[in-house]
Amino acid sequence: MPALGPATAALSDAELRETIDLHSGVLAKMSDKIDAQGALQQQLIDVSIKGMDSILKLALAAKEQTDPARYARHIEQELDKTIGRILDRLDILHSSFEADRCNAAYRLEDLVEQEENTLQRLRADQEKAARWKKRIPFIALFGLVLALGLAVALPRFMAVNGTSCAVLGGEWLRGPESGKQACVFYAE
């Protein structure tokens, strides 16, 4: 085997122990520093994770606030509030218009019925007047004949007793030759 390098004298046990102690101290300090750096790195990682969680939460909140479906729901709710009241009022007005229309239709039917009844009465009255118009010449002729007949016959019938003769302006006398009683009118 070839030689590995210059030959060094071997250390004693005490020197080896001291060297090992020094190496172990250095290793312990390095381990402590590495642990401290690891803890620091862990703290940095934890802070980064917390920051990332906060950023993620904020991003989700921003996404939720800018969500079109959310805005659509919000707009729908606002429209329901404002337009809903208007539509309710329009529905009430429509109901009252419908009630007024039904009332007007009922009244119109009643007026049409009254008009038909009035027209029927007018037609009946016109027919009755037309019948009487046709009868007027006969009634007038009958009245004329009756007046003439009464003008001739009434004085004769009224002159059969003394009271009615006096009412007509005559005098109740007995004839000397025949002995019959008669109503006599004298010219003055």
Side-chain angles (χ1 to χ4, degrees):
M1 229 198 246
L4 295 175
T8 55
L11 295 174
S12 66
D13 278 345
E15 288 175 340
L16 278 174
R17 276 192 201 130
E18 186 181 330
T19 304
I20 289 175
D21 284 340
L22 283 174
H23 281 312
S24 65
V26 168
L27 282 175
K29 284 184 181 180
M30 284 177 68
S31 175
D32 287 343
K33 283 186 180 182
I34 288 173
D35 286 344
Q37 283 181 353
L40 183 62
Q41 285 178 352
Q42 187 63 38
Q43 285 177 350
L44 287 174
I45 290 171
D46 289 344
V47 167
S48 295
I49 289 173
K50 287 179 184 176
M52 293 299 249
D53 284 344
S54 297
I55 290 171
L56 181 61
K57 286 178 186 176
L58 289 173
L60 288 174
K63 180 184 177 187
E64 183 180 321
Q65 285 188 354
T66 59
D67 183 25
R70 181 178 177 269
Y71 275 118
R73 285 190 303 274
H74 180 68
I75 290 170
E76 179 184 9
Q77 289 171 352
E78 290 301 315
L79 285 175
D80 280 348
K81 285 179 190 175
T82 55
I83 294 178
R85 288 182 292 217
I86 294 170
L87 290 176
D88 289 343
R89 278 191 254 149
L90 285 176
D91 191 36
I92 291 169
L93 286 173
H94 177 264
S95 297
S96 71
F97 285 151
E98 183 67 22
D100 289 345
R101 187 192 63 76
C102 289
N103 190 17
Y106 172 74
R107 288 187 179 184
L108 183 62
E109 287 176 15
D110 190 37
L111 287 174
V112 167
E113 186 177 326
Q114 287 178 6
E115 181 183 17
E116 286 175 3
N117 290 340
T118 304
L119 287 174
Q120 286 177 356
R121 275 185 283 156
L122 283 173
R123 285 184 196 118
D125 288 347
Q126 284 179 343
E127 288 173 4
K128 195 175 182 182
R131 283 191 301 250
W132 278 104
K133 260 186 180 177
K134 290 177 184 175
R135 294 179 187 163
I136 285 177
F138 298 111
I139 293 171
L141 182 62
F142 176 74
L144 182 61
V145 169
L146 182 64
L148 286 175
L150 286 176
V152 173
L154 189 60
R156 289 194 174 268
F157 289 119
M158 287 188 70
V160 290
N161 66 23
T163 310
S164 57
C165 184
V167 168
L168 288 173
E171 198 174 315
W172 192 257
L173 296 175
R174 189 179 290 267
E177 298 165 4
S178 66
K180 293 184 179 181
Q181 295 179 343
C183 185
V184 179
F185 296 96
Y186 294 110
E188 294 182 30

